[in-house]
Amino acid sequence: MSISKLKRKVDLSVEIAGIRLKNPVLTASGTFGYGQEYADFVDLNKLGGIIVKGISRTAIAGNPAPRIWETPSGMLNAIGLENPGIDVFLNEKLPYLRAFDTAVIVNIFGYSLDDYGEVAERLDGVPGISALEVNISCPNVKAGGMVFGTDLNATAALLTAVRKKTSLPLIAKLSPNVTDPVAFAKAAHDAGCDGLSLINTLLGMAIDVRTRKPRLANITGGLSGPAIRPVAVRIVWQVARAVPLPIIGMGGIVTAEDALEFMLAGASAVAIGTANFINPRAALDVLDGIESTMTEQGISEIRTIVGKVNIS
Amino acid sequence: MLRVSETMDPILARPFGISSIISKRSLELVYNTVGKGTNMLSRLEPGRMLDMLGPLGNGFSMPEKGEIPVLIAGGCGFPPLHFLSIKFARRKIKSHVFIGAKDRRHLPPPFIMNGFKKNLCSIHLATEDGSAGTRGLVTQLVSKSLQTTGTGDERRPVLYACGPRAMLAAVAALAAEHSVTCYVSMEERMACGMGACMGCAVPVRRGGYKRVCKDGPIFRAEEIAWSESDLTNPSSVAQCCSHAVDAIPS
């Protein structure tokens, strides 16, 4: 075998929110279940990490159908945060995931500060959990259903409350549906978060012109997929240069090139979401592509490209 | 799940029920052009290779001893029932096939009809305009047939239905009325097709939802909550984002 055919060893490891990931590719919350459904297609051991479907204090049935609607280069979803609740997660889902050599990040949510706090508290110190990702884009039922993540004060209060309940690394998943994402990122930093997930879905809607009804039972839903990537890259870039927190970049990543775009913008790691639906092996294909690019371009450590977008 | 496009528009794969297996590397799907995906599919050139994920989900259960299968197809629901009839024929099981369509032009294509005939099926047709078979809905025809099914040495019917949701609900009601086993093949918009995204949810009687792609597509008819009044425990169905119009999941 000639020397040129030997793959040069590259270092794909990154550190984010105090966790060392063996590579920067994770799967995004809500798109990979709790891992088991994909295990037949994907070697979970190869992933940098899995961010599981959001967990709440009690089981949630979710919204009536239609829950999804395809859009150009994307899709709307209003699943309704269906999940089996924290007890089932701890008793069934987490033990399954612990068997794999991949970081497990638990996405959590609730409808009041108490909800969030209780979930965070119960997950604190549980072996096998690398970090918590806090979904702040939920309505606060104690405040008339106003969404936490689009109100700066509510966001700060929420993250401060969660911070008190856990010593696990805390990653705030921010909403892009705000005028100034940097302000929210700063609030997360001030509240003691260790990292940021950017971005959650864009708020969207579709209407059937024949029936004149919304396509989703919930009327509005979250837009994801390649269509939102430029928005996500922009927000990653804006936040990375203003706030000293490591970022997991996500929003329409399909190829290795997309992932590298996010890293150049300032993300230390990336999460693959909607792409999993069109190719269950998307995350591993992205990982392979990053590795190939590194070899081609002579990049020996992936962490060295973080934030290196060239703006003269 | 079939990828009909290599582009991002349309982005999602399309779910299809298998009509028959042709060889180790090809199977038969039969579809109507109803939207973007199926229209793209219909314009592909013969010989083109497509990416497919499958087989996914569960299948129809075989009838019990002493049961006679009654296959009920409406709209474009006949392909999986055609596949089922092949399985029955292999086991030398005779069956009845009830096919409903708007008019004779919307009946399954000849190769399917011939397939059913070859597979030991007695075919009963119903068209809404009466241009073929009995005039009316297929469920009306099935209802009549169930009523004339005597007891004694007649075998009990077991229903296998695939078609529009309203048809399935009507068949489910008939099955309940006549106390016969009924399997329905459900459909719902799908994204991942493998049970992870929770998109293809159908409501079940005991509250909550099941996934058509993974828990189905075949369900016992009595498991499904066909209407709100079917829910035995409606308060257990917690709504999330109806709390706030601008809330976003995950």
Side-chain angles (χ1 to χ4, degrees), chain A residues 148-187:
Chain A
F148 287 103
T150 51
D151 181 284
L152 205 50
N153 291 332
T155 296
L158 171 57
L159 294 173
T160 304
V162 174
R163 177 74 282 175
K164 290 202 177 85
K165 299 288 190 181
T166 181
S167 52
L168 280 170
L170 213 55
I171 300 167
K173 185 164 183 177
L174 302 185
S175 165
N177 304 300
V178 297
T179 315
D180 182 10
V182 171
F184 286 80
K186 284 186 171 149

Side-chain angles (χ1 to χ4, degrees), chain A residues 29-33 37-38 41 61-65 67-70 72-75 77 79-82 107 111 135 137 139 141 145 147 173 177 200-201 203 218 220 222 226 277-278 280, chain B residues 3 8-14 36 53-54 56 188-192 194-202 207-209 211 214 236-250:
Chain A
S29 177
T31 70
F32 214 72
E37 293 82 358
Y38 279 87
F41 306 97
N63 288 337
R67 291 181 172 183
I68 58 173
W69 182 252
E70 185 181 68
S73 302
M75 56 178 283
N77 92 78
I79 307 293
L81 291 167
E82 174 175 344
N107 178 295
Y111 301 113
N135 170 12
S137 300
V141 296
V147 173
K173 185 164 183 177
N177 304 300
N200 206 327
T201 48
L203 190 60
N218 191 60
T220 59
F277 303 157
I278 59 186
Chain B
R3 286 208 61 71
M8 294 288 115
D9 187 15
I11 189 172
L12 299 175
R14 276 24 187 178
K36 210 186 254 187
L53 192 69
L56 300 167
E188 190 50 81
R189 297 265 166 194
M190 280 181 198
C192 75
M194 9 185 303
C197 75
M198 310 295 195
C200 58
V202 287
Y209 300 91
R211 302 159 294 185
K214 181 114 177 149
S236 76
V237 180
Q239 302 257 141
C240 149
C241 296
S242 58
H243 287 302
V245 164
D246 46 316
I248 306 159
S250 227

